[in-house]
Amino acid sequence: MSAWQPLPADLPPEVGHFVEQLRLLKDRTGLSLIALGERTAYSKSSWHRYLNATQPPPRQAVVALCRVAGADAERFCVRWELAVRAWPRTVAPAAVPVVAPAGVTGSAGAGLSAGANRAADEGGYEDAPTVPWWDLLAETPEPDGPESVPARHSWAASHRLLLYALVLVLVLLLTAVIGAVTLS
């Protein structure tokens, strides 16, 4: 078990409760922050910030921790929503003017600064889903029944990357065999 730093006294109760629950969940795994970082798509320093209430975790980080710990992700995501709503907002630094790259003029250059500061302007936290690619494969929704499956959906469509890799291996193998026969 870890000896956690005390949480700031001025944290809202929802945030404090959520972070305490995350800490208990992390302790239940028995993993260090380094090992937790290796099992999820988030670094040791990110987990340190999340578990010390320095920064709110993205929703996908909470889901990843629940997967590692074998906990109910839905329950923790509800707690996450309550905590993020109550999380103290830091004062955003003054907007830094973004200079458009050479050759970009007009509204295209203006879009760069607007997109870069959108999360800060809205007063919210960006929930960037950073998950390992293998988790994305596992989250493929199951169809409700045979009537909900489109006719064009097939094994090849859902496993296109695997199919491309197999075709590439077969082409390389065929090229090697033809080269060996030609050179002998």
Side-chain angles (χ1 to χ4, degrees):
M1 297 291 171
S2 301
W4 294 104
Q5 296 175 2
L7 292 174
D10 59 343
L11 274 181
E14 297 90 350
V15 175
H17 179 70
F18 174 70
V19 172
E20 288 293 332
Q21 293 298 313
L22 280 184
R23 287 176 170 187
L24 290 172
L25 192 60
K26 184 263 175 207
D27 286 342
R28 195 170 85 186
T29 66
L31 298 173
S32 67
L33 290 179
I34 295 171
L36 183 61
E38 290 172 354
R39 294 220 182 157
T40 63
Y42 301 91
S43 67
K44 171 194 167 216
S45 59
S46 294
W47 281 114
H48 186 265
R49 288 190 305 270
Y50 305 153
L51 295 170
N52 286 312
T54 307
Q55 176 183 354
R59 181 185 203 102
Q60 293 299 328
V62 175
V63 171
L65 178 59
C66 288
R67 274 201 191 121
V68 169
D72 180 23
E74 286 184 36
R75 186 176 67 159
F76 276 90
C77 285
V78 169
R79 291 179 181 165
W80 173 84
E81 289 175 9
L82 294 172
V84 167
R85 285 185 194 144
W87 208 285
R89 305 290 196 249
T90 57
V91 177
V96 178
V98 177
V99 179
V104 178
T105 59
S107 63
L112 291 174
S113 61
N117 294 325
R118 183 175 32 136
D121 290 344
E122 293 174 357
Y125 294 104
E126 184 178 337
D127 184 19
T130 307
V131 292
W133 62 268
W134 55 87
D135 284 349
L136 294 176
L137 292 177
E139 292 178 0
T140 309
E142 294 295 324
D144 294 336
E147 64 278 352
S148 66
V149 178
R152 67 179 187 273
H153 186 273
S154 65
W155 183 89
S158 63
H159 295 88
R160 188 167 295 151
L161 183 61
L162 182 61
L163 184 63
Y164 289 153
L166 182 61
V167 168
L168 180 63
V169 167
L170 289 175
V171 167
L172 288 173
L173 185 61
L174 182 63
T175 303
V177 168
I178 291 174
V181 169
T182 304
L183 294 175
S184 60

